[in-house]
Amino acid sequence: MKKQTLRLNFKKKRSAFSEDKVQDLSIDIVNQVLKLNIWNYNNFHVFFPIEKNNEIDIEEGKEKKIERWFGTLNLSLEDDVYLSWDPETALKTKLKYVVKYWKSLYYRDSDDLTVFSENLNWSLLFFHEGKIYFGSK
């Protein structure tokens, strides 16, 4: 089954729950993860909730539209951010450089790129199927 199909199935199942139920289940999951024997590792994937309409399609020739979308996120361009392509490849820079040079940092169809704030309050996922997702605490 493709990721896109799985994502749609998950969203459909999740929509059947109340917001309180979603929060309760999320806390249960976190508590189970805390019991796992993984805490001596250095690399973790950062997950944040993705709010509705906080995503954009990456389309050729729509670079200005994507740059405007970045502006709607109300993030400080001077903030330090971390970029991660895989467990062994990462970079620290300013958000303004990610916004300006994102096409050189992300290669559609081959890369997933995660960008997250130094304080871990938000994250961007440049997904290899041509979408950028924004999530925040």
Side-chain angles (χ1 to χ4, degrees):
M1 187 176 293
K2 291 185 175 183
K3 271 187 180 179
Q4 186 174 19
T5 304
L6 286 170
R7 188 179 307 117
L8 290 173
N9 289 345
F10 176 76
K11 283 183 175 182
K12 184 178 178 182
K13 288 179 180 181
R14 183 181 173 135
S15 69
F17 295 126
S18 70
E19 191 60 36
D20 287 342
K21 182 69 172 175
V22 169
Q23 291 298 322
D24 289 345
L25 290 171
S26 295
I27 290 169
D28 287 346
I29 291 168
V30 168
N31 286 330
Q32 290 176 40
V33 169
L34 289 172
K35 294 176 186 175
L36 295 175
N37 186 21
I38 61 171
W39 302 108
N40 57 333
Y41 295 100
N42 295 322
N43 299 304
F44 297 96
H45 189 83
V46 178
F47 290 96
F48 294 113
I50 304 296
E51 296 181 13
K52 186 177 180 183
N53 298 326
N54 259 347
E55 62 185 57
I56 190 166
D57 291 318
I58 300 172
E59 302 172 61
E60 201 63 41
K62 302 288 184 177
E63 290 82 6
K64 291 292 181 194
K65 178 181 176 185
I66 293 168
E67 288 174 21
R68 285 191 303 271
W69 178 79
F70 282 126
T72 68
L73 303 177
N74 296 318
L75 302 174
S76 171
L77 295 177
E78 293 301 322
D79 280 354
D80 287 327
V81 296
Y82 295 91
L83 289 69
S84 174
W85 290 268
D86 60 53
E88 296 178 6
T89 311
L91 172 74
K92 180 179 179 181
T93 190
K94 299 281 185 193
L95 179 60
K96 65 183 175 185
Y97 298 119
V98 175
V99 171
K100 185 172 183 176
Y101 299 112
W102 68 269
K103 281 192 74 171
S104 298
L105 297 167
Y106 160 79
Y107 302 100
R108 185 180 172 156
D109 299 323
S110 65
D111 282 349
D112 285 333
L113 168 62
T114 304
V115 179
F116 55 95
S117 64
E118 191 167 40
N119 60 12
L120 301 177
N121 283 333
W122 60 265
S123 176
L124 290 163
L125 172 62
F126 291 74
F127 188 54
H128 66 268
E129 291 182 4
K131 281 193 178 285
I132 306 172
Y133 298 94
F134 173 73
S136 62
K137 288 185 176 181

